[in-house]
């Protein structure tokens, strides 16, 4: 009886800790990805967008391979069984999403990129609700408050730049990818999933990489290009995607998506510090709304799954 009681207590403790850990991992991924938006903007004039994405994922694949390749080989039959799902997840989360972000970085300020990407959590919530998940009043309120802050940020600017349309497409791609994570086969290991999607996504980029090299030529490998690519490959890809995927498994795409609203705040601060992009008082007030929505929507609730 004592052993059973101890197991029950441990299970309850783990159950209570899961939402906290999930939100923390979502925040970590969001912070790291904020730096990748700044990197996309900084490399916009020196590294073609497709080549930026391709080398990012080559680096990420090299980082994940020691942990994921062996697990993926052991689960190869499972991977083949779910090849359609993995192909779609790779296309949306690896091949398309970051290439669109890099393309946007050619003509859009990093702060705008972060603001527009904050639409992704709304899309995550829509995708999740369409699959039958109840969101709950508190979470919906948090989404609406944070979304209001984002709309005010965008509406108070000078209007959409050409690259903003690329970012809108990127938001749709990332939102769909995050919703797909909810359907990841439970028996497929996290490292195997990352390795497989990174490998498929990089392979899908190969034709575009060849065209980019033929048309635009390669880029000059200097400290100013190689170091940012290492950052996005190691931190923004391997580390952040593992943290985000784990967060989705723990708390679901909607709650993790609310935390993602921190991104425009982080990007604005980083772009101000590193790229000298201005952040005015109106933006600070709007960021307060975003933060308030994050705190409200990321909290625990009794929503049914």
């Amino acid at each position: 009886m004592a052993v059973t009681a101890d197991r029950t207590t441990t299970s309850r403790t783990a159950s209570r800790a899961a939402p906290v850990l999930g939100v923390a991992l979502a925040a970590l991924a969001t912070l790291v990805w904020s730096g990748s938006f700044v990197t996309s903007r900084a490399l916009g004039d020196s590294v073609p967008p497709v080549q930026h994405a391709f080398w990012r994922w080559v680096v990420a694949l090299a980082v994940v391979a020691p942990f994921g390749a062996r697990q993926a080989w052991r689960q190869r039959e499972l991977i083949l069984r779910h090849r359609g799902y993995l192909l779609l997840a790779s296309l949306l989360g690896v091949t398309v999403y970051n290439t669109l972000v890099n393309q946007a970085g050619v003509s859009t300020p990093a702060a705008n990129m972060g603001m527009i990407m904050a639409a992704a959590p709304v899309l995550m919530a829509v995708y999740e609700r369409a699959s039958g998940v109840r969101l709950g009043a508190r979470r919906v309120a948090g989404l609406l408050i944070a979304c209001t802050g984002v709309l005010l940020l965008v509406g108070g600017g000078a209007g959409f730049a050409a690259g903003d349309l690329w970012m809108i497409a990127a938001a749709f791609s990332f939102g769909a990818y995050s919703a797909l994570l909810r359907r990841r086969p439970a028996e497929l290991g996290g490292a195997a999933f990352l390795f497989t999607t990174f490998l498929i996504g990089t392979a899908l980029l190969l034709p575009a990489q060849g065209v980019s090299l033929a048309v635009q030529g390669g880029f000059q490998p200097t400290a100013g290009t190689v170091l940012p690519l290492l950052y996005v490959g190691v931190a923004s890809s391997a580390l952040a995607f593992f943290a985000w995927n784990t967060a989705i498994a723990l708390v679901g795409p909607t709650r993790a998506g609310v935390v993602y609203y921190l991104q425009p705040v982080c990007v604005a601060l980083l772009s101000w510090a590193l790229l000298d992009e201005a952040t005015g008082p109106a933006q600070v007030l709007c960021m307060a709304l975003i933060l308030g929505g994050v705190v409200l929507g990321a909290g625990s609730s009794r929503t049914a799954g």
Side-chain angles (χ1 to χ4, degrees):
M1 292 292 291
V3 173
T4 302
D6 288 343
R7 288 177 177 173
T8 302
T9 302
T10 301
S11 177
R12 287 175 179 171
T13 301
S15 179
R16 293 193 194 101
V20 176
L21 178 60
V23 169
L25 288 172
L28 172 63
T30 298
L31 177 61
V32 174
W33 277 330
S34 299
S36 71
F37 284 165
V38 175
T39 300
S40 293
R41 178 60 174 165
L43 295 180
D45 296 329
S46 56
V47 180
V50 170
Q51 295 179 43
H52 182 169
F54 178 79
W55 288 111
R56 167 186 180 145
W57 294 112
V58 167
V59 172
L61 192 58
V63 172
V64 171
F67 310 98
R70 184 175 298 178
Q71 187 181 80
W73 177 252
R74 289 198 302 266
Q75 296 190 307
R76 59 189 180 277
E77 292 183 3
L78 179 64
I79 289 171
L80 286 173
R81 193 186 316 151
H82 296 282
R83 57 187 178 275
Y85 167 83
L86 290 167
L87 177 63
L88 183 58
S90 303
L91 178 67
L92 292 171
V94 176
T95 307
V96 174
Y97 166 60
N98 290 110
T99 305
L100 292 174
V101 171
N102 296 338
Q103 184 63 50
V106 174
S107 59
T108 303
N112 275 26
M113 294 167 68
M115 294 175 207
I116 295 169
M117 269 306 297
V122 177
L123 299 171
M124 294 176 208
V126 171
Y127 292 138
E128 195 170 15
R129 184 66 188 90
S131 66
V133 177
R134 291 176 55 199
L135 304 182
R138 178 172 177 169
R139 207 165 299 170
V140 171
L143 283 167
L144 291 175
I145 292 171
C147 189
T148 299
V150 172
L151 291 174
L152 289 175
L153 274 169
V154 176
F160 282 94
D164 292 345
L165 296 176
W166 293 112
M167 283 307 304
I168 292 172
F172 273 93
S173 180
F174 184 73
Y177 168 77
S178 296
L180 271 177
L181 291 178
R182 197 66 154 161
R183 301 177 179 274
R184 193 186 91 186
E187 61 272 31
L188 181 60
F193 176 79
L194 282 184
F195 176 79
T196 304
T197 53
F198 288 5
L199 179 63
I200 295 173
T202 304
L204 292 174
L205 272 170
L206 272 172
Q209 169 74 354
V211 172
S212 178
L213 287 172
V215 175
Q216 299 171 297
F219 63 90
Q220 188 67 29
T222 64
T225 56
V226 173
L227 290 179
L229 288 174
L230 288 175
Y231 170 80
V232 295
V234 176
S236 295
S237 300
L239 173 62
F241 268 77
F242 177 79
W244 182 257
N245 293 356
T246 305
I248 295 291
L250 291 172
V251 299
T254 301
R255 187 176 294 177
V258 174
V259 179
Y260 193 79
Y261 272 119
L262 287 169
Q263 187 158 261
V265 180
C266 297
V267 174
L269 293 174
L270 288 172
S271 63
W272 169 74
L274 301 176
L275 302 178
D276 200 27
E277 292 183 355
T279 300
Q283 288 177 306
V284 173
L285 290 175
C286 293
M287 289 176 190
L289 279 175
I290 295 171
L291 286 170
V294 168
V295 172
L296 179 63
S300 61
S301 69
R302 288 177 288 184
T303 304

